Amino acid sequence: MTLEWRAVPKQVPWYIQGYTYLFVWPLLGLSTAWFGSISLACGLWDKSGRQQHRTAWAWANTLLWISLSPVRLMGRENIGVGQVAVYASNHLSYYDTPVLFAKLPFQFRILAKQSLWTLPFVGWYLNRSGQVPIELGSARSAVAGLLRGVKTLKSGLSLVIFPEGGRAEHGVMKPFQSGAAFMAIKAQVPLVPVALVGTYEMLPMRTYHLTPRPLWVVVGEPISTAGLTTRDADALTERLFAAITELYMSHSTNVLPDGPTARGAVTS
């Protein structure tokens, strides 16, 4: 199964662009600085990370409120209460991370590019709150990052990861890297597919103005890793890719005005 791209005209009214440049970006910067400072302060005593995660939740919801984009969570029944898992999501926009922090109802850590740790406030938060960096420049560095992720899972915290390794430039998923499957197998925890719908249309790559719209987080059925070994990581990754593709295509008609044929069609 593949996803075929069909372009969508990106015509944004002038008043939406004006709202973005005059209000949204300044408020996003101020919110990030404000909540980042609070998180840094909490990190002085918050060893469990709960207060810092709660601060990230408040930051994410503030960003979504500023963007005038409501988010709905589907598949809540597939989220195991108290169960550690690797949650793997498609990656469409810079807004994906705030959406996940706002809607996933449990404390988790993210596996993210090492370069993010150099950003003011964002990097400080990532470091003090125990997020997991990964450097994709070499195989050895990448494996070290994945093993840090396995350690986090075994400590009792779930992970959220974008297995594409970066945003999808045209809103269509890129091939998945096998890191999510590798970590889930090594820690013997479920691998949970998550589809984000609408974030690409809201803020695609190389675009600097938002288009407010409804957004969805769709959580699929957990995929068991019981009895699997790391030799099964590639096959599990293919299964994950198919699951997220199916979730996205089955729910995109609820968010995108013209349905999936406006942006893509499933072909066998």
Side-chain angles (χ1 to χ4, degrees), residues 32 178 198 224:
T32 300
S178 60
S224 174

Side-chain angles (χ1 to χ4, degrees), residues 39-40 52 97 101 109-110 112-119 121-133:
S39 180
L40 287 174
Q52 294 175 82
T97 299
F101 267 108
R109 298 292 182 265
I110 61 172
K113 293 179 180 178
Q114 178 77 55
S115 59
L116 294 175
W117 267 249
T118 64
L119 299 177
F121 294 103
V122 173
W124 305 340
Y125 164 77
L126 292 171
N127 185 56
R128 294 294 292 272
S129 60
Q131 312 304 322
V132 182

Side-chain angles (χ1 to χ4, degrees), residues 65 111 124 179 229:
W65 177 78
L111 189 80
W124 305 340
T229 69

Side-chain angles (χ1 to χ4, degrees), residues 82-100:
Q83 183 181 37
V84 177
V86 175
Y87 289 79
S89 170
N90 58 328
H91 197 11
L92 300 166
S93 167
Y94 273 136
Y95 252 81
D96 293 344
T97 299
V99 166
L100 292 171

Side-chain angles (χ1 to χ4, degrees), residues 101-239:
F101 267 108
K103 300 309 293 184
L104 292 181
F106 54 87
Q107 186 183 175
F108 58 85
R109 298 292 182 265
I110 61 172
L111 189 80
K113 293 179 180 178
Q114 178 77 55
S115 59
L116 294 175
W117 267 249
T118 64
L119 299 177
F121 294 103
V122 173
W124 305 340
Y125 164 77
L126 292 171
N127 185 56
R128 294 294 292 272
S129 60
Q131 312 304 322
V132 182
I134 183 168
E135 177 57 64
L136 301 177
S138 70
R140 182 175 182 179
S141 299
V143 170
L146 294 176
L147 292 177
R148 285 192 291 268
V150 173
K151 184 177 179 180
T152 297
L153 292 166
K154 290 184 176 181
S155 74
L157 286 168
S158 293
L159 276 179
V160 169
I161 181 174
F162 299 118
E164 293 166 89
R167 290 170 294 155
E169 183 173 2
H170 298 299
V172 177
M173 285 195 300
K174 300 185 295 185
F176 283 4
Q177 300 175 19
S178 60
F182 174 88
M183 291 187 294
I185 290 171
K186 287 286 287 185
Q188 284 294 282
V189 300
L191 182 60
V192 183
V194 179
L196 297 176
V197 183
T199 56
Y200 174 78
E201 290 73 21
M202 175 192 181
L203 184 65
M205 285 184 67
R206 299 183 178 86
T207 300
Y208 302 99
H209 50 262
L210 298 177
T211 303
R213 62 185 309 109
L215 309 172
W216 279 30
V217 179
V218 187
V219 182
E221 294 184 7
I223 304 172
S224 174
T225 61
L228 299 182
T229 69
T230 53
R231 288 178 294 183
D232 301 307
D234 288 341
L236 183 59
T237 299
E238 292 181 4
R239 186 176 173 187

